Amino acid sequence: MSRNQGRGSNKNTSRGGSSSNKRTSYSRGNSPIKNQGGFTKPSNSTKPKAPKKSNPDEVRLNKYIANSGICSRREADVHIATGLVSVNGKVVTEMGYKVKPGDEVRYDGSRVNPEQKAYVLLNKPKGFATTNSEGKGRTVMDLVANATNANIRPIGRLGRNSKGLILFTNDEAVVKKFTNSKNGVPRLFHIELDKNLKHEDFKKIQTGFKIDGSLIEVEEISYIDGSSKKEIGLKIKNTGNTIIRTIFEHFSYDIVSIDCVAIAHLTKKDIPRGHWKHLTTQELNNLKML
């Protein structure tokens, strides 16, 4: 029998409805079968379940951590798998876990902040308290109110009547770098005293001395070129300026003014008093490499 004859024979049989010795088998379960209309359908058709709608406010845990700037998503997966991440006080190791609004996420014990990181450098004038607390009169937060929507706070302190550079951020890793007791970040101050700093006192401050049994050390101390010996350059890694007053009061000097002129490589160049700027990518990278 020719190929064309075979096709014709099958066609006539299916359309003519003639009986056949072979019975149609329906033992194929849900595999498709051909109906008279020429299209296929499952033999046991059931309606597919509608996909579960995702909540647009929920975020995958690894993305939530990555958005905080701690690490990449791939690295976040490793941290999650090793049990370093908790949500609302419970360790989560499930890949694909979704964080809901209001959840408290912690990595290695520290709160994870998913908002975009911000780094604002302010040249503080006199008359502003270095605090983010309300009810303290004029504060440095008033000066940077329009800098960013992020919840930034100042690193370290300058007294109300002190002036100079203050860095604000919501990046906990940078805050820890500044407040690290062993390393820290150097800050350079221009200090004016009520009288000339004696050479013997200069040397004691330079080499280190003790107050109530505690060793006080500075990074550098120098006289200001072209000025009287009342004006001193002092580099320290302490984040507050209380230590500066402690040092000079110990040697019976009163401080007339304090001006923070540099934080590591960051300077007041192009930042007028009372103004601020965002750190550039290069400035931030240099800061993180300290």
Side-chain angles (χ1 to χ4, degrees):
M1 180 173 61
S2 71
R3 181 176 298 178
N4 289 337
Q5 287 175 327
R7 286 180 179 174
S9 173
N10 290 340
K11 185 175 181 181
N12 291 337
T13 303
S14 62
R15 290 188 177 181
S18 60
S19 60
S20 173
N21 291 332
K22 294 183 180 180
R23 297 180 62 86
T24 303
S25 172
Y26 295 96
S27 62
R28 293 180 297 169
N30 287 331
S31 59
I33 59 175
K34 202 168 189 178
N35 68 2
Q36 291 183 350
F39 60 86
T40 61
K41 65 178 180 179
S43 58
N44 296 325
S45 60
T46 57
K47 289 186 178 181
K49 292 182 179 180
K52 185 179 179 180
K53 292 184 178 180
S54 60
N55 186 339
D57 294 327
E58 295 180 357
V59 181
R60 288 176 66 95
L61 184 56
N62 63 350
K63 181 179 179 181
Y64 187 95
I65 295 171
N67 287 347
S68 72
I70 293 175
C71 59
S72 67
R73 287 198 197 184
R74 182 173 296 179
E75 291 169 331
D77 285 336
V78 175
H79 297 323
I80 293 168
T82 53
L84 290 175
V85 179
S86 67
V87 180
N88 300 327
K90 296 182 178 180
V91 174
V92 173
T93 57
E94 173 190 344
M95 294 296 120
Y97 182 93
K98 290 193 174 181
V99 179
K100 302 177 182 62
D103 283 350
E104 181 183 273
V105 179
R106 289 184 176 273
Y107 164 69
D108 202 18
S110 298
R111 181 79 181 264
V112 176
N113 188 347
E115 68 184 0
Q116 186 175 5
K117 295 294 180 285
Y119 310 87
V120 177
L121 187 64
L122 169 71
N123 187 357
K124 174 189 173 301
K126 287 184 177 181
F128 290 82
T130 307
T131 179
N132 54 355
S133 301
E134 297 180 357
K136 299 292 184 179
R138 296 191 304 173
T139 75
V140 291
M141 301 307 299
D142 298 323
L143 298 172
V144 297
N146 297 322
T148 176
N149 291 326
N151 187 27
I152 58 174
R153 60 187 177 91
I155 303 177
R157 300 178 68 84
L158 285 177
R160 187 180 291 272
N161 291 321
S162 299
K163 55 191 177 183
L165 296 177
I166 300 178
L167 181 63
F168 297 74
T169 187
N170 57 346
D171 189 336
E172 289 299 322
V174 171
V175 173
K176 285 182 179 180
K177 182 180 289 291
F178 271 78
T179 56
N180 185 290
S181 59
K182 292 184 178 180
N183 298 321
V185 174
R187 299 195 299 167
L188 178 62
F189 292 87
H190 180 180
I191 301 164
E192 183 182 353
L193 304 175
D194 64 327
K195 56 189 175 183
N196 290 342
L197 178 64
K198 297 177 182 179
H199 181 70
E200 56 266 32
D201 294 335
F202 178 97
K203 295 301 291 184
K204 288 177 183 178
I205 296 171
Q206 186 179 51
T207 57
F209 62 97
K210 288 187 176 182
I211 298 179
D212 297 330
S214 298
L215 180 62
I216 306 298
E217 294 181 299
V218 302
E219 297 297 305
E220 295 177 18
I221 184 170
S222 63
Y223 293 112
I224 302 297
D225 291 339
S227 300
S228 71
K229 288 183 169 50
K230 293 180 181 180
E231 297 188 46
I232 308 299
L234 186 71
K235 183 182 287 188
I236 61 174
K237 288 186 176 180
N238 191 287
T239 55
N241 67 348
T242 303
I243 187 63
I244 298 175
R245 297 193 180 278
T246 300
I247 289 171
F248 290 102
E249 286 176 1
H250 178 74
F251 294 100
S252 301
Y253 296 91
D254 290 331
I255 294 178
V256 176
S257 68
I258 296 177
D259 188 358
C260 182
V261 296
I263 299 175
H265 58 280
L266 304 173
T267 69
K268 299 189 294 182
K269 183 182 179 181
D270 301 327
I271 313 178
R273 194 79 72 189
H275 290 68
W276 52 264
K277 75 164 191 174
H278 291 282
L279 295 191
T280 64
T281 301
Q282 187 60 54
E283 288 172 333
L284 179 58
N285 290 339
N286 291 342
L287 190 64
K288 289 185 174 181
M289 287 191 297
L290 291 175

